[in-house]
């Protein structure tokens, strides 16, 4: 804990100097910077090699902080009460007097916001007088990081500091829900869509393609940059084979996402497994058919985009 406190202090120093810091969240690690600063947020785009038109998610400690920047509505409050802090992001209208840098929104009048539940990052946010813009801490189109080591692998010495919060518990990005007009899900993620639907008690649309061209909606994303084939029963001899559940007989090229068909556990292990396979230098990946329900839907969404790499 003592160590954590001094690391948080160090992180604040870097952030106050408009530097980027790697931060742990329950979904994936983020590449964070002061969302009110154009200098700081420009550095995020540069480090990630992210197209400028892709807006960033901004991370807040609580509603009080959020109210400075966004217009709040009833459905948002209902969802916030149930799911935040946690793995869900909301698209809201931005207030005219908001100090959020135009880099973050790409000049649009909407803002993606999130309240991460990871203790270390909440502790950090509580001590800042600005929110943190933080996309996933990976180079654009590549695999999202779920540990400090993963972030280091992405940016090496270009990033001065990464807070170590252990392995991300959810392991896939937050669910994004737009509350601008009729509520709709824009990205599947840490809270399954059917759960939100059940809670809200009305039909919730899922819009795969957003008008905003965003990394989460680009064709190739979440990719180890290795050829990847889906719904495979029999892999080739030298191909990495991803299984949904552990088999009695595991060959050296077999990798399982969960011990027993648990889709939540499988989602948690997805990016970790893809990164492991990449580091083992496999030239191609085959994936067993994954049930398309609950967290299986999220896994299939990410793998589908990764499979567009040729
Ligand atoms: O779990 C997460 O959400 C992680 C952690 C670090 O918080 N962050 C994350 O950020 O996944 P990123 O930048 O990798 O994905 C954010 C997605 C992008 O697809 C972006 O286009 C979309 O959110 N987005 C941001 N602002 C938006 C807006 N105003 N309207 C629609 N989509 C937006
Ligand atoms: Mg991302």
């Amino acid at each position: 804990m003592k160590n954590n406190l001094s690391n948080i202090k160090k992180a604040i120093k870097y952030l106050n100097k408009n530097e980027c810091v790697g931060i742990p969240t329950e979904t994936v690690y983020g590449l964070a910077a002061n969302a009110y600063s154009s200098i700081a947020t420009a550095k995020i785009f540069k480090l990630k090699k992210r197209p400028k038109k892709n807006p960033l998610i901004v991370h807040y400690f609580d509603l009080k902080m959020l109210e400075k920047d966004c217009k709040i509505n009833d459905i948002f409050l209902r969802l916030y009460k149930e799911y935040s802090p946690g793995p869900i992001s909301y698209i809201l209208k931005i207030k005219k007097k908001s100090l959020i840098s135009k880099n973050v929104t790409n000049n649009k009048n909407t803002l993606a916001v999130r309240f991460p539940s990871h203790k270390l990052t909440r502790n950090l946010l509580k001590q800042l007088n600005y929110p943190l813009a933080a996309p996933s801490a990976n180079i654009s189109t590549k695999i999202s990081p779920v540990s400090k080591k993963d972030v280091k692998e992405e940016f090496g010495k270009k990033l001065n500091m990464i807070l170590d919060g252990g392995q991300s518990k959810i392991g896939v990005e937050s669910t994004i829900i737009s509350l601008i007009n009729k509520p709709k899900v824009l990205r599947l993620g840490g809270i399954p869509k059917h759960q939100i639907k059940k809670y809200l008690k009305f039909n919730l649309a899922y819009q795969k393609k957003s008008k905003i061209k965003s990394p989460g909606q680009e064709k190739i994303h979440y990719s180890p940059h290795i050829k990847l084939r889906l719904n495979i029963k029999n892999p080739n001899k030298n191909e990495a084979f991803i299984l949904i559940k552990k088999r009695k007989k595991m060959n050296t090229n077999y990798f399982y996402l969960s011990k027993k068909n648990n889709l939540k556990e499988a989602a948690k292990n997805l990016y970790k497994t893809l990164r492991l396979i990449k580091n083992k230098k496999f030239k191609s990946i085959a994936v067993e058919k994954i049930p398309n329900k609950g967290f299986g839907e999220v896994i299939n969404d990410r793998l589908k985009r990764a499979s567009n790499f040729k």
Side-chain angles (χ1 to χ4, degrees):
M1 194 60 199
K2 216 171 160 195
N3 192 19
N4 278 350
L5 288 181
S6 69
N7 282 335
I8 288 180
K9 261 194 176 161
K10 203 169 131 193
I12 294 174
K13 261 193 194 156
Y14 278 116
L15 291 166
N16 284 344
K17 282 196 292 188
N18 285 330
E19 294 292 328
C20 295
V21 171
I23 59 165
T25 90
E26 69 280 16
T27 57
V28 300
Y29 273 64
L31 184 67
N34 178 354
Y36 292 159
S37 159
S38 295
I39 297 171
T41 48
K43 288 180 184 167
I44 294 179
F45 287 88
K46 194 167 171 219
L47 269 168
K48 267 185 71 87
K49 303 194 175 107
R50 178 171 174 121
K52 289 219 168 65
K53 61 181 185 229
N54 291 328
L56 305 176
I57 296 184
V58 178
H59 297 62
Y60 288 87
F61 177 70
D62 61 9
L63 277 185
K64 216 174 125 207
M65 256 176 106
L66 177 79
E67 275 167 342
K68 293 181 187 160
D69 297 320
C70 288
K71 292 181 194 161
I72 281 169
N73 58 52
D74 287 348
I75 295 179
F76 164 74
L77 286 175
R78 273 179 71 194
L79 289 167
Y80 176 87
K81 237 172 92 186
E82 181 74 6
Y83 297 117
S84 295
I88 183 166
S89 298
Y90 313 96
I91 312 290
L92 296 171
K93 280 198 181 125
I94 197 163
K95 283 185 176 168
K96 278 216 174 76
K97 60 168 197 204
S98 159
L99 298 177
I100 293 288
S101 159
K102 298 277 184 264
N103 289 341
V104 170
T105 55
N106 186 28
N107 275 315
K108 298 267 183 327
N109 58 2
T110 62
L111 186 67
V113 304
R114 177 161 127 67
F115 307 83
S117 64
H118 195 290
K119 273 200 183 133
L120 198 59
T121 290
R122 270 185 73 70
N123 201 333
L124 171 67
L125 286 167
K126 198 177 174 181
Q127 296 183 54
L128 299 170
N129 51 9
Y130 46 82
L132 292 176
S136 51
N138 52 284
I139 307 286
S140 247
T141 79
K142 295 198 175 171
I143 314 167
S144 301
V146 290
S147 70
K148 177 179 175 177
K149 191 178 129 273
D150 295 352
V151 181
K152 210 164 192 168
E153 227 173 81
E154 293 292 311
F155 302 110
K157 291 208 172 101
K158 286 185 188 152
L159 185 60
N160 286 321
M161 187 177 181
I162 307 161
L163 272 173
D164 191 351
Q167 200 198 324
S168 296
K169 288 210 167 70
I170 306 279
V172 288
E173 293 82 351
S174 61
T175 302
I176 302 182
I177 179 160
S178 169
L179 302 174
I180 298 298
N181 296 311
K182 228 173 138 199
K184 55 182 177 234
V185 170
L186 300 184
R187 178 176 74 185
L188 303 174
I191 297 176
K193 180 165 54 69
H194 71 91
Q195 254 185 44
I196 306 176
K197 207 159 125 182
K198 207 167 141 199
Y199 171 71
L200 286 176
K201 296 199 181 72
F202 56 73
N203 199 18
L204 192 59
Y206 170 40
Q207 184 183 315
K208 257 192 196 169
K209 281 200 180 122
S210 137
K211 278 179 210 130
I212 293 180
K213 263 287 241 145
S214 60
Q217 279 134 350
E218 258 167 19
K219 244 182 115 196
I220 300 174
H221 197 35
Y222 313 109
S223 162
H225 287 216
I226 302 170
K227 209 171 80 186
L228 188 144
R229 313 187 294 139
L230 299 174
N231 304 324
I232 303 297
K233 279 197 180 133
N234 300 303
N236 299 328
K237 213 173 133 221
N238 295 320
E239 199 170 30
F241 191 32
I242 298 183
L243 304 159
I244 188 68
K245 86 172 208 244
K246 193 174 176 184
R247 292 213 181 146
K248 276 203 182 116
K249 189 174 171 292
M250 292 287 293
N251 293 348
T252 51
N253 60 327
Y254 285 17
F255 300 83
Y256 62 89
L257 295 178
S258 87
K259 281 204 181 109
K260 298 177 179 167
N261 239 337
N262 178 332
L263 291 170
K264 191 169 184 193
E265 183 191 342
K268 179 183 170 184
N269 289 322
L270 177 67
Y271 292 147
K272 192 174 129 187
T273 306
L274 287 172
R275 199 174 279 274
L276 176 69
I277 290 169
K278 182 188 97 184
N279 290 342
K280 283 186 180 279
K281 308 255 183 300
F282 279 93
K283 295 275 183 312
S284 91
I285 303 173
V287 187
E288 177 178 63
K289 189 173 172 118
I290 292 172
N292 204 39
K293 55 172 196 222
F295 275 92
E297 247 190 317
V298 185
I299 299 172
N300 283 327
D301 170 71
R302 305 303 195 261
L303 286 173
K304 182 96 210 342
R305 292 179 211 269
S307 75
N308 288 326
F309 179 85
K310 305 284 175 220

